Structure formats: structure tokens, C-alpha cells
Amino acid sequence: MEFKILKNKLHESIQHVSKAITNRTTIPILSGIKIDAHDQEVILTASDTEISIQSFIPKEEKENQIIEIKKEGSVVLPAKFFVEIIRKLPGEYVEIEVNSQFQTIIKSGTSELQIIGLDPEEYPVLPSIEENNSILLASDLLKSMIKQTSFAISTNESTPILTGVLWNVSNENLKFVATDRHRLASREISNTDIDLHLNLQNIVISGKTLNELNKLLPDQNSMIHIVFANNQVLFKIDSILFYTRILDGIYPDTSKIIPQVFKTEITVPTRMFLEAIDRAYLLSKENQTNIVKMIVKDHEEIEITSSLTSLGKITEQVKAEKIEGELIQISFNSKYMLDALKVIDSDHIQIGITGTMSPIIIKPNDNTNMLHLILPYRTTN
Amino acid sequence: MEFKILKNKLHESIQHVSKAITNRTTIPILSGIKIDAHDQEVILTASDTEISIQSFIPKEEKENQIIEIKKEGSVVLPAKFFVEIIRKLPGEYVEIEVNSQFQTIIKSGTSELQIIGLDPEEYPVLPSIEENNSILLASDLLKSMIKQTSFAISTNESTPILTGVLWNVSNENLKFVATDRHRLASREISNTDIDLHLNLQNIVISGKTLNELNKLLPDQNSMIHIVFANNQVLFKIDSILFYTRILDGIYPDTSKIIPQVFKTEITVPTRMFLEAIDRAYLLSKENQTNIVKMIVKDHEEIEITSSLTSLGKITEQVKAEKIEGELIQISFNSKYMLDALKVIDSDHIQIGITGTMSPIIIKPNDNTNMLHLILPYRTTN
């Protein structure tokens, strides 16, 4: 293998695939990045068995030469070092040449390196994916759906299925659900936003993986091609392929725990409510429960309080836009409430309460396609 | 005590004094910030016994009222919570009122807090400083002197005196020295830069403390008044007083270890040399010594190499501006060299070598008032 490549293009590609590199790998070859030099392109591959990322660098782009291929071939180079050194090389171009025993010479400007490479034949083969089941989704929409749900996954490895986000794909819409049994977040889009002719149930993708994917998704509105295979999902993002495993197991049916009728319905300005909860959180976070109390005293205002024996007490008043139904008081985890409020863009939110021991529902006022649920705490007074 | 104050002014002052708050204090009252409301000003005080910081907020500033004092008095409030909550309060103003038992009411907009305060009588009295010995120094000059020396202090608590920076004040100049026995950094300014009529030896101030001080020093060129007392130094920065202890012990005489005559003298471009060392560092940092080798092969270029058995080898060429004297090769800690090079602003540096086992001297080409020394490593080849 021998080629010469624009340093910045190589660096950009390394940045992309290095998101699949973990320090904790038990398979030595996976601590490396695989480089394949073909006639028309160079391909970089990295994997941690959960996710695999490939980046394709074309020989030419808009008639500008990016790569000069002198000899095709492959090698695996140590990822951590490769990521660091390429960026720091002094030249505009980098020359990479593999000798016998995968010994690799890297030259750039006044620098010359001899790196011990690994045998590319030992590198695992990526899954082959049949492209029968696929959807097209706008990048910014996928980004916001991930952001609005993935915070609610469980971090408890004893229920692995709940560490993922459920994707339900039906003729009508695409829905994401995440829950850790204490709170739930869901977000739905209809087929007006999406090219959808599928029915797929129980596709569960690790929340951590979706957050890694999020970093690779472009902000500008390009379309992401998503392919669903037996136990894998493949995301095609411009010149990047992102493979992830589907989590094993059956995702619990969460539809029954969501109340449809409320005894108390409140509409409040999102920002004022969020800031009041945020201050009350400061006086709740030192005991582990983060409990704050919300009191609906009349049909004008709600009061939020929290206290710590060692520190003191805080009382917040939030003027409501509308309060309908019973006056009530209810306690909940302020951290869960903050997490939900932070992903709501709408100016106002609706809070639905059915009783002191029933789930609290939070929805943006301008969008019925997002729902947050928080279980209340039983408190002594 | 009762007063009303502009929130932003109070927040700014809290930010300043909170730099003296540590989580590791064994004296409970020092986990608080002391607030004194006087007729004409409010004073905040924080201390960790090593350093103490006071911030003065005047009642009026440029004819704008900042504080409305309703009742003079004092209280100590829990620092960590106070720092967090004030910034987040909803109003433009904050009202603070102390009731019996130091119970403190804080009101701002729609928020009301009851905080358990502590008795200000228990708060330690700050040292009284005689102002006989003092100098005036420009803030930006003090900042650069701290930056250019403090990185070279020892982090080894078994030689506490070396965890400080030595200040030598004489009729002619002010000199900072820091060393950890493996490398040394010194920076000197002459009396043209400074109002100096003193002779003070063996003033040693903790490097960590100087870095905290650095954060409070303004970037714009205001004058800092520095007062030297028996075992304390006081820095007067605008409306802030910063007190620090002088370290106990005698600082070693470092003047004799600095060679005055060199066998080899090299002038190289700072940036190119720094970047070459930085790349070689990547192949030296996984063994603990960070050893790189510098080879003066001819009178045109120097070569820098480093290698790791598991990874490979790097060879760097740096074209010199000038090489005089013997051709030589010498090994040193690349991290120490990087630390020194990063604080040098000059385009070119001079490197002086007297032998493979003698100290290496690095000086900026345009300034003889800064000097860095690095002890070489004995290597087998």
C-alpha cells in the first residue's frame, strides 16, 4: 500500500471513525483503525463490536485531487496515536507506505515516522446488510428526536433493554420511546416528515450509541438513509457508514401507564417554570432524591418549594397561564423535571395531574407529538 | 443586617472571593462567605487559611446606587450554595436580611429563601499588614511573570519550599525563580518597569496560590500594589484584597547550577522547534520519562528523535538559524522542554549546551531576562 493524501481530508476522516474506538477493548486489533487504499478511494474503518464506522475519502472531489494512489493495499494502525499525530504533522500532504511485516512509513514535511502496523486480514468483517427495509429522514429531525428522548434511558445494566431507545416504525409514523421506569420520554413524527412504507416493531438502539451517532449527524438539512436489517441498523450519512447492533429483548409496553384524563391541568411559561425548578433543585440535590413539592394553591399561581435541614428552604411562585380542575399538591424528582423541560422548545407547557400517586404528564403547548412522564414521590406531608 | 443590592454586582464579588473556598476545609466556618454590611459598603470575605480574599462593593459607583443599606451587620453564609443560587435568582435586585440566630432571608423577584447562616464572630480575623514594604507592578507584567515561571514548581509535598516561586526584590530588579530540581524557570524585570526601593530575599509564594491570583488579575494594564509583611504578602487589585502566606524555609541557591559558557550554541525558530518536540513527545509519553534525543549532526540542522518499542519511531528535522561550536547529541524530557517553549513569545530561541550530562539552557532570542534550564538524561546510546 502506498498513497499520498491531503492532510486535512485524512484528519477529518480519522475524527469521524475514531468515535467507534474505545479504550476498553479486549480485542487488540480493534484498538486500531483499518486503512484500505483502493483504485478510486481510501476507506477508514473503526469498530468496538457494538458500533462500526466507515469513512470514504474519494480520490477526487469537485475536480480537485485529494489522493494519489501509488499502490493498493491495507494496514491497521494504532488508533489513539494515529488520531493525535496526523493533525500535528507539518506538511500539507501525508505520504503513507506499507513495507513488509506491516511496518508503515509516514512522511509529511520535515517529519518521518516508522509505525508498527497490524495485519488487516485479522480485522473483523463488517456485517453485510440487505437494503430491503429503509427510511429517509432529515438529519436535523433525527438529531432533535435523539436529544428529546435519549436522556430518559436507564443507566442500569441489569435491564439492558431499557438502556436503549425504542423505534416504532409504522405506516403512519415513526416514534421514539425511552424510559428508566421512573420517567418516560416519547417523540413521534408523522409520514409527512418521512419517506415511510414499513412496519417495524421492537427496534431498540442503545442510547449511548445514538448519542455517538448524533455527533456525526450534520446540522444542515441533509437526508439520512436508515437501513433496518435482522440485528443491525445502518445509517448512511454523506460519506460515512454507521453500523449499530439492535439490542436483544422485548421492550415493555408503556402505552398503558400514560393517563389520558386529568384532574388538574396547568399551562405555564416554560422558561419561568424551568428556572424556578432549577433554583429549587439547588436545595434538593444534596439528599439523593432531588424532591421538590409543587402546590396548586389557587387558579392563578403555583408554588414550588424544597428544603434541606442543613441549609434552609426555598419558595418559588410561578404565575400560570391557565389552571383548570382540582387544587392539589404533588412531589417529584426535580432533576427529571429539568431534563424534560430542557428539551422542550415551546414557549408554554401543559402539565397534567391525575392524583398525588399517578404519573405527571408534561407536553409542549404547541406540539402534541412529544410527551414526558414523571412518576411522583409519596411524601409524608 | 439588612440591605438590597444589584444582583450582578453581588454575583461578581462572590465570584472573586469564592476562589479562596476549598471543599477540603476542616474548619466549618471557612466553608462560608462572610458578609459585612457597613454604612458605605458591603464587604465579602473568604479564606482557606493559606489565602484570604476580600471584595469591597461600594454603595454607589459613578453616581449610580448599587446598594441600599437598611441595617448594618454581619453573617456567614454557606459558600457553595450562595455562589450557585445568587446567579440564578430571577430579579435585578437581591434583598438580604438577617433575623435572630443568623437565619437569613434572601428575596429576589418571585423567589424567597430562608438560609441557615453562621455566627460572624466565629470567623477568623484577617492578618493586619504593615504597609512599609511595598511595590507597584503592572497587572499584565505580573501575569506574564507568573505564567513564565510557576509551571516549573515542584508538586512533591516532601520539599514544600520548592512548591513555591521565589521572589527576589533588590534595588535593581525583581526576579522570580521556580524549580523542581529537574528543571528551572526564571524571569527578571529591571527597575524601569517597577517602582522599587526595597531589598527583600527569600520571599517564597506557593505556585498554586499564584495561579489563583492570576485569575483575579485584570488583563488591562492596571497597577497592582504588593505589600510584603513578616509572613504575609498582600495584593491590592482594584476593589479586591488578596492575602497569602509566605512559605516557611530557605529557598536553595540556584545561581551556581546555571552554566555561563557553552560548548554548543544553537538558534532555532521557536514554533518549528516546539512543533517538532510536540510530535516527538507523542512517541515518548507512554514510558514515564518522556525522553527525546536531540542530535546536532552538522551546522545546518538539528534532528530530534524518539521511539517506543510497541509503536515505532519518529525522526524530525529542524533547520537552525545558527549552530556554533561542537556537534553533540543530548537527551531530555520532552514535556519539560514543551512547558518552557510554550511560555516563550519570541520568534527564535537560543539553546546552550555544555555537555551530555550538563544542564541545557533555553533563552528567548530577544530577551535576556528569561531563562529556562533542563537537566539532560543519561542514555545508553
Side-chain angles (χ1 to χ4, degrees):
Chain A
M1 185 186 89
E2 187 179 352
F3 64 91
K4 183 176 170 182
I5 185 166
L6 262 178
K7 182 180 72 182
N8 290 344
K9 288 285 171 186
L10 177 61
H11 174 59
E12 192 185 273
S13 256
I14 294 173
Q15 290 284 101
H16 290 154
V17 300
S18 66
K19 300 207 165 44
I21 299 288
T22 64
N23 290 324
R24 298 166 283 95
T25 184
T26 50
I27 307 163
I29 194 94
L30 292 186
S31 66
I33 291 175
K34 183 160 163 253
I35 305 171
D36 295 293
H38 296 301
D39 181 35
Q40 293 300 318
E41 63 188 354
V42 166
I43 307 173
L44 303 188
T45 307
S47 176
D48 70 353
T49 69
E50 274 298 313
I51 64 175
S52 303
I53 306 176
Q54 281 197 311
S55 175
F56 296 76
I57 315 170
K59 202 172 151 185
E60 277 169 23
E61 203 174 61
K62 293 171 193 153
E63 292 182 20
N64 293 318
Q65 190 171 14
I66 294 168
I67 310 171
E68 187 188 331
I69 311 269
K70 294 174 183 166
K71 193 177 163 197
E72 295 184 59
S74 302
V75 73
V76 176
L77 294 182
K80 212 177 131 215
F81 175 72
F82 197 53
V83 169
E84 280 183 314
I85 193 72
I86 295 297
R87 184 172 58 88
K88 293 187 167 179
L89 288 175
E92 190 186 349
Y93 287 88
V94 177
E95 292 175 63
I96 301 181
E97 185 186 348
V98 178
N99 293 339
S100 60
Q101 302 288 307
F102 312 108
Q103 165 122 324
T104 305
I105 310 289
I106 301 178
K107 288 183 194 171
S108 179
T110 50
S111 292
E112 182 173 330
L113 291 106
Q114 291 171 34
I115 301 299
I116 299 163
L118 298 169
D119 183 355
E121 292 296 319
E122 287 176 22
Y123 202 87
V125 178
L126 292 196
S128 73
I129 301 258
E130 284 193 27
E131 307 229 347
N132 301 334
N133 293 330
S134 74
I135 63 173
L136 263 179
L137 194 58
S139 177
D140 57 348
L141 192 56
L142 178 56
K143 271 176 105 77
S144 67
M145 289 184 74
I146 292 173
K147 183 183 126 199
Q148 287 159 352
T149 53
S150 65
F151 68 86
I153 60 162
S154 171
T155 53
N156 187 340
E157 293 292 336
S158 69
T159 49
I161 195 78
L162 295 186
T163 64
V165 174
L166 173 70
W167 292 43
N168 262 327
V169 186
S170 78
N171 284 326
E172 294 302 322
N173 58 36
L174 170 68
K175 185 176 181 179
F176 282 15
V177 178
T179 180
D180 62 3
R181 294 195 195 280
H182 304 288
R183 39 111 173 244
L184 175 149
S186 79
R187 173 80 162 88
E188 206 166 342
I189 52 172
S190 68
N191 62 359
T192 51
D193 300 312
I194 187 173
D195 177 13
L196 207 65
H197 310 281
L198 291 176
N199 251 305
L200 295 166
Q201 308 298 323
N202 204 55
I203 305 280
V204 185
I205 303 176
S206 152
K208 260 198 322 217
T209 295
L210 289 175
N211 286 324
E212 285 304 317
L213 172 70
N214 213 4
K215 294 177 197 161
L216 287 174
L217 291 172
D219 285 324
Q220 63 274 33
N221 210 345
S222 61
M223 294 306 283
I224 310 300
H225 194 161
I226 307 171
V227 185
F228 301 93
N230 265 342
N231 59 352
Q232 292 275 335
V233 180
L234 166 60
F235 297 85
K236 297 184 174 183
I237 311 155
D238 302 333
S239 59
I240 302 167
L241 297 183
F242 185 104
Y243 296 79
T244 178
R245 207 167 62 79
I246 293 174
L247 294 187
D248 294 328
I250 305 293
Y251 204 84
D253 180 9
T254 56
S255 61
K256 284 170 203 141
I257 63 164
I258 297 165
Q260 303 297 329
V261 191
F262 303 108
K263 286 190 183 158
T264 310
E265 284 186 274
I266 304 164
T267 306
V268 281
T270 314
R271 199 170 137 247
M272 283 185 67
F273 186 64
L274 187 154
E275 290 178 356
I277 299 280
D278 193 28
R279 287 186 291 269
Y281 165 67
L282 289 183
L283 269 153
S284 77
K285 69 177 176 177
E286 297 196 7
N287 55 22
Q288 307 227 311
T289 53
N290 301 326
I291 295 180
V292 304
K293 193 192 280 182
M294 180 166 82
I295 306 158
V296 186
K297 281 199 294 199
D298 55 34
H299 288 87
E300 304 289 325
E301 263 187 350
I302 55 177
E303 188 174 287
I304 290 149
T305 66
S306 69
S307 61
L308 262 185
T309 329
S310 60
L311 208 58
K313 187 182 170 180
I314 187 164
T315 310
E316 295 281 339
Q317 310 293 337
V318 181
K319 206 159 203 70
E321 185 90 351
K322 194 165 77 181
I323 298 179
E324 287 177 348
E326 288 179 20
L327 302 182
I328 196 171
Q329 67 181 52
I330 193 164
S331 295
F332 53 82
N333 182 322
S334 54
K335 176 67 170 54
Y336 290 170
M337 184 61 88
L338 286 175
D339 286 346
L341 294 172
K342 279 176 186 168
V343 299
I344 296 178
D345 297 327
S346 162
D347 280 352
H348 288 79
I349 52 160
Q350 289 171 10
I351 306 170
I353 304 169
T354 41
T356 49
M357 289 313 296
S358 301
I360 305 164
I361 298 294
I362 304 105
K363 286 181 181 182
N365 208 23
D366 61 359
N367 182 351
T368 52
N369 291 330
M370 198 200 299
L371 178 145
H372 299 282
L373 175 152
I374 297 171
L375 290 186
Y377 270 102
R378 187 196 301 269
T379 51
T380 46
N381 57 337
Chain B
M1 185 186 88
E2 188 180 353
F3 65 91
K4 183 177 171 182
I5 185 166
L6 263 177
K7 182 180 71 182
N8 290 344
K9 289 283 171 186
L10 178 61
H11 174 58
E12 190 186 273
S13 256
I14 293 172
Q15 290 283 100
H16 290 154
V17 300
S18 65
K19 301 207 164 45
I21 300 288
T22 63
N23 290 324
R24 298 165 286 97
T25 185
T26 50
I27 307 164
I29 194 93
L30 293 187
S31 67
I33 291 174
K34 184 161 164 252
I35 305 172
D36 295 292
H38 297 300
D39 182 34
Q40 293 299 320
E41 62 187 356
V42 166
I43 306 172
L44 303 188
T45 307
S47 176
D48 69 353
T49 70
E50 274 297 313
I51 63 174
S52 303
I53 306 177
Q54 282 197 310
S55 175
F56 296 76
I57 314 171
K59 203 170 151 184
E60 280 169 21
E61 203 174 61
K62 293 173 192 152
E63 291 180 23
N64 293 318
Q65 190 171 14
I66 295 167
I67 311 171
E68 187 188 331
I69 310 271
K70 293 173 184 166
K71 195 176 162 197
E72 295 184 58
S74 302
V75 73
V76 176
L77 294 182
K80 212 177 131 216
F81 176 71
F82 197 54
V83 169
E84 280 183 314
I85 193 71
I86 295 297
R87 185 171 59 90
K88 293 187 167 180
L89 289 174
E92 190 186 350
Y93 288 88
V94 178
E95 292 174 63
I96 301 180
E97 185 186 349
V98 179
N99 294 338
S100 60
Q101 302 288 305
F102 311 108
Q103 166 122 325
T104 304
I105 310 289
I106 301 178
K107 288 183 194 168
S108 179
T110 50
S111 293
E112 183 173 332
L113 292 106
Q114 291 171 36
I115 301 300
I116 298 164
L118 297 169
D119 184 355
E121 292 295 319
E122 286 176 21
Y123 202 87
V125 178
L126 292 197
S128 72
I129 300 257
E130 284 193 27
E131 307 230 347
N132 301 335
N133 293 331
S134 74
I135 62 174
L136 263 180
L137 194 58
S139 177
D140 56 349
L141 193 55
L142 178 56
K143 272 177 104 77
S144 66
M145 289 183 75
I146 292 172
K147 183 183 126 199
Q148 287 159 351
T149 54
S150 64
F151 67 86
I153 60 163
S154 171
T155 52
N156 186 340
E157 293 293 337
S158 69
T159 49
I161 195 77
L162 294 187
T163 64
V165 174
L166 172 69
W167 293 43
N168 263 327
V169 187
S170 78
N171 283 327
E172 294 302 321
N173 58 35
L174 169 69
K175 185 176 181 178
F176 282 15
V177 178
T179 181
D180 63 3
R181 296 195 194 279
H182 304 288
R183 40 114 172 242
L184 175 148
S186 80
R187 174 79 162 89
E188 206 167 341
I189 52 171
S190 67
N191 61 357
T192 51
D193 301 311
I194 187 174
D195 177 11
L196 206 68
H197 309 281
L198 290 177
N199 250 305
L200 295 166
Q201 308 298 323
N202 206 56
I203 305 279
V204 185
I205 303 176
S206 151
K208 259 197 323 221
T209 296
L210 289 175
N211 287 324
E212 285 304 318
L213 172 70
N214 212 5
K215 293 177 198 162
L216 288 174
L217 291 173
D219 284 325
Q220 64 272 36
N221 210 346
S222 60
M223 295 305 283
I224 310 300
H225 193 159
I226 307 170
V227 185
F228 300 93
N230 266 343
N231 59 352
Q232 292 275 336
V233 180
L234 166 60
F235 297 84
K236 297 183 173 183
I237 311 155
D238 301 333
S239 59
I240 302 167
L241 297 183
F242 185 104
Y243 296 80
T244 178
R245 206 166 63 77
I246 293 173
L247 294 187
D248 295 329
I250 305 293
Y251 203 85
D253 179 9
T254 56
S255 60
K256 285 170 203 141
I257 63 164
I258 298 166
Q260 303 298 330
V261 191
F262 303 108
K263 285 190 185 159
T264 310
E265 283 187 276
I266 305 163
T267 305
V268 280
T270 313
R271 198 168 138 250
M272 283 185 66
F273 186 64
L274 188 156
E275 290 178 357
I277 299 281
D278 194 26
R279 288 186 290 270
Y281 165 68
L282 289 183
L283 269 153
S284 77
K285 69 178 177 178
E286 295 193 12
N287 55 22
Q288 305 226 315
T289 53
N290 300 325
I291 296 180
V292 304
K293 192 192 282 182
M294 181 166 81
I295 306 159
V296 187
K297 282 199 293 198
D298 55 34
H299 288 87
E300 303 290 324
E301 264 187 349
I302 54 178
E303 189 174 286
I304 290 150
T305 65
S306 68
S307 61
L308 263 185
T309 330
S310 60
L311 206 57
K313 186 182 172 181
I314 188 165
T315 309
E316 293 282 340
Q317 310 294 336
V318 182
K319 204 158 202 75
E321 185 89 352
K322 195 166 78 182
I323 297 179
E324 286 178 348
E326 289 179 20
L327 302 183
I328 195 171
Q329 68 180 54
I330 193 164
S331 295
F332 53 82
N333 182 322
S334 54
K335 176 69 169 54
Y336 290 169
M337 184 62 87
L338 285 175
D339 286 346
L341 294 171
K342 279 175 187 167
V343 300
I344 295 178
D345 297 327
S346 161
D347 280 352
H348 287 79
I349 53 159
Q350 289 172 6
I351 305 171
I353 303 168
T354 40
T356 50
M357 289 313 296
S358 302
I360 306 165
I361 299 296
I362 304 105
K363 287 180 180 182
N365 208 21
D366 62 358
N367 182 350
T368 53
N369 291 330
M370 196 201 297
L371 179 145
H372 299 282
L373 176 151
I374 297 171
L375 290 187
Y377 272 102
R378 189 196 299 271
T379 51
T380 45
N381 57 336

